[in-house]
Every structure is written in structure tokens, then in C-alpha cells.
């Protein structure tokens, strides 16, 4: 332990941390490349070759030139995931845009039947259609 002073340990930890950080950035760049539909296949291949052959320079150039659009694609993906989650919750809860779901619709149908606006036959058809 005497041959490895504390400062060298901190330096090694910093190098390791930066190495891991670079790998995260590399994977982020590669996933962004494949997610971007505005780039042609040749442009994607060019970026991939640059990132693989000159890793540090390629990743830094990608972030410099395409960092803003990378953030916009991330925001768009978050919005799409949020919309999908809200749609799933609406479908699971059985509600529609107007709210209420099947129970509310059945209540409206029974009120229409009670007021005489629907006959028994029309009520049964609408109820069957609603529950199907």
C-alpha cells in the first residue's frame, strides 16, 4: 500500500469514472443515431464509422453538431411515452374523452328510456352494443 499513495488512488478513480461516463455517452450517441429518422442510412453509417474509428473525437463532434436535436428527440420520446401511458390508463379504466365510461353511458341510456325517448327494443340494442 505504501507504493500507491492516496493521490494516485483518487486519480485512478477519476480516470475510471471518466471512462464509464464516456461509455454512457457513446451508447447515448449510438441509440440516438438509430432513433433519428431524419438522417439517411449513409449519414448514420458515417457517424458510426467516425465514432468507432475516432471514439473520443467522434462522440464529441456528434454532441457538438447534433446535441440540440438529440435533446429534442429525447423530449419527443418522453411526450410519446407519456401519451401512451395516459391512453393505456384511459383504456384500462374504461373511460372515454368525455369521461364516465360504460357505467355513465348505461345511466344515460336508462334515463332516455325512462323519459320515453327510447323504446325497450332500442334500449336493449344500445345496451348490447355498449357492452359488446
Amino acid at each position: 500500500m505504501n507504493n500507491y499513495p492516496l493521490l494516485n488512488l483518487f486519480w485512478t478513480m477519476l480516470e475510471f469514472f471518466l471512462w464509464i461516463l464516456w461509455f454512457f455517452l457513446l451508447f447515448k450517441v449510438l441509440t440516438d443515431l438509430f432513433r433519428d429518422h431524419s438522417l439517411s442510412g449513409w449519414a448514420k453509417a458515417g457517424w458510426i464509422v467516425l465514432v468507432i474509428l475516432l471514439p473520443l473525437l467522434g462522440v464529441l463532434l456528434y454532441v457538438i453538431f447534433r446535441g440540440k436535436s438529440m435533446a429534442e428527440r429525447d423530449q419527443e420520446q418522453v411526450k410519446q411515452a407519456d401519451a401512451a401511458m395516459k391512453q393505456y390508463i384511459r383504456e384500462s379504466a374504461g373511460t372515454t374523452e368525455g369521461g364516465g365510461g360504460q357505467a355513465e353511458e348505461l345511466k344515460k341510456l336508462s334515463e332516455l328510456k325512462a323519459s320515453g325517448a327510447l323504446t325497450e327494443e332500442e334500449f336493449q340494442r344500445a345496451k348490447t352494443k355498449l357492452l359488446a
Side-chain angles (χ1 to χ4, degrees):
M1 206 58 174
N2 294 338
N3 295 337
Y4 204 67
L6 188 60
L7 189 59
N8 286 346
L9 177 66
F10 288 137
W11 183 253
T12 302
M13 289 173 53
L14 179 66
E15 287 175 339
F16 183 71
F17 172 75
L18 291 175
W19 186 66
I20 296 296
L21 186 67
W22 180 82
F23 267 111
F24 275 109
L25 188 58
L26 174 68
F27 291 129
K28 180 70 175 166
V29 164
L30 289 175
T31 55
D32 185 66
L33 269 171
F34 288 109
R35 187 177 30 173
D36 187 8
H37 300 294
S38 66
L39 281 178
S40 69
W42 287 107
K44 288 179 184 183
W47 276 111
I48 290 171
V49 167
L50 181 65
V51 165
I52 290 174
L53 292 181
L54 301 170
L56 184 60
L57 183 64
V59 168
L60 289 176
L61 286 174
Y62 188 86
V63 171
I64 289 168
F65 289 114
R66 300 189 42 84
K68 184 176 180 181
S69 62
M70 194 162 87
E72 291 168 356
R73 279 186 293 282
D74 280 345
Q75 289 174 348
E76 184 62 32
Q77 184 181 17
V78 167
K79 286 179 186 176
Q80 288 175 355
D82 186 48
M85 176 62 89
K86 287 179 181 177
Q87 180 65 27
Y88 172 75
I89 291 171
R90 270 190 229 107
E91 289 173 0
S92 296
T95 60
T96 58
E97 284 297 319
Q102 286 182 343
E104 186 67 30
E105 295 295 322
L106 284 172
K107 181 180 174 188
K108 289 178 185 177
L109 282 175
S110 65
E111 288 172 359
L112 287 172
K113 180 185 166 210
S115 70
L118 289 177
T119 65
E120 180 64 34
E121 182 182 309
E122 291 170 331
F123 173 75
Q124 289 301 328
R125 252 196 323 242
K127 185 172 96 172
T128 305
K129 183 179 177 184
L130 181 65
L131 296 177

